[in-house]
Amino acid sequence: MLILTSAPLWVWPLLAVLILVGWRSRQERTIPLAIVYLLPAIGLLTLPALLALPHSGAALAAHALAYAAGAAVGYWLQGRWLLAKGPRHVRLGGESLTLVLMMTMFSAKFVHGTMTAIAPAAVSGWSYGMAFGAVTGLAAGLFGGRALRTILAPRVV
């Protein structure tokens, strides 16, 4: 319980917003293209944490490999959900992957912050860096592949 009460206050509104956005993605929706194009930037949020790890090279390599794999899968999956693309908006089918990915990224960052505070020795291990890099890389790559599919898709209104 101490972990939950010791977290910064801003974490909980962020979690609520991520859950709301992810939950809404389960319905067909029309969103600005800019949002789809900005989603891959989520992957950049973990780079400072990866670079701060003692075995940052291995963690970054795991992140990059997992990102590439995730991008390939995300590119393929987005074909199912991309219903229409206009000059400024895109219509997407409902799916739960966005919610899963947002919760994965949030949880990975939350666990990393908690582990850094309460068990810094565990964070310094090679395997921790590889696992953290792989999980965050896969989730970020899925967003990246989905954005790439949307960018390359012809306009169909």
Side-chain angles (χ1 to χ4, degrees):
M1 191 63 159
L2 182 61
I3 291 171
L4 299 177
T5 58
S6 298
L9 190 56
W10 60 265
V11 165
W12 307 119
L14 173 62
L15 177 60
V17 167
L18 292 175
I19 290 171
L20 178 65
V21 169
W23 193 259
R24 291 178 123 188
S25 72
R26 299 177 71 225
Q27 304 298 319
E28 185 175 309
R29 69 237 181 249
T30 299
I31 60 172
L33 278 170
I35 290 175
V36 176
Y37 298 157
L38 288 174
L39 283 176
I42 291 173
L44 300 175
L45 297 175
T46 58
L47 289 181
L50 291 167
L51 289 169
L53 293 172
H55 302 284
S56 60
L60 287 170
H63 186 83
L65 288 172
Y67 189 99
V73 173
Y75 184 89
W76 176 72
L77 287 173
Q78 188 70 352
R80 298 177 182 184
W81 302 316
L82 184 59
L83 303 177
K85 179 182 171 188
R88 292 191 188 110
H89 291 83
V90 63
R91 191 165 47 104
L92 299 171
E95 42 77 24
S96 297
L97 184 61
T98 299
L99 176 61
V100 170
L101 294 176
M102 288 182 172
M103 292 304 96
T104 299
M105 293 297 283
F106 178 88
S107 299
K109 288 281 287 171
F110 188 86
V111 167
H112 177 69
T114 302
M115 293 295 290
T116 301
I118 65 172
V123 173
S124 67
W126 182 83
S127 59
Y128 176 89
M130 294 288 287
F132 181 62
V135 167
T136 57
L138 181 64
L142 281 157
F143 277 131
R146 292 173 65 185
L148 182 62
R149 178 71 176 248
T150 304
I151 290 167
L152 297 177
R155 287 187 188 170
V156 179
V157 228

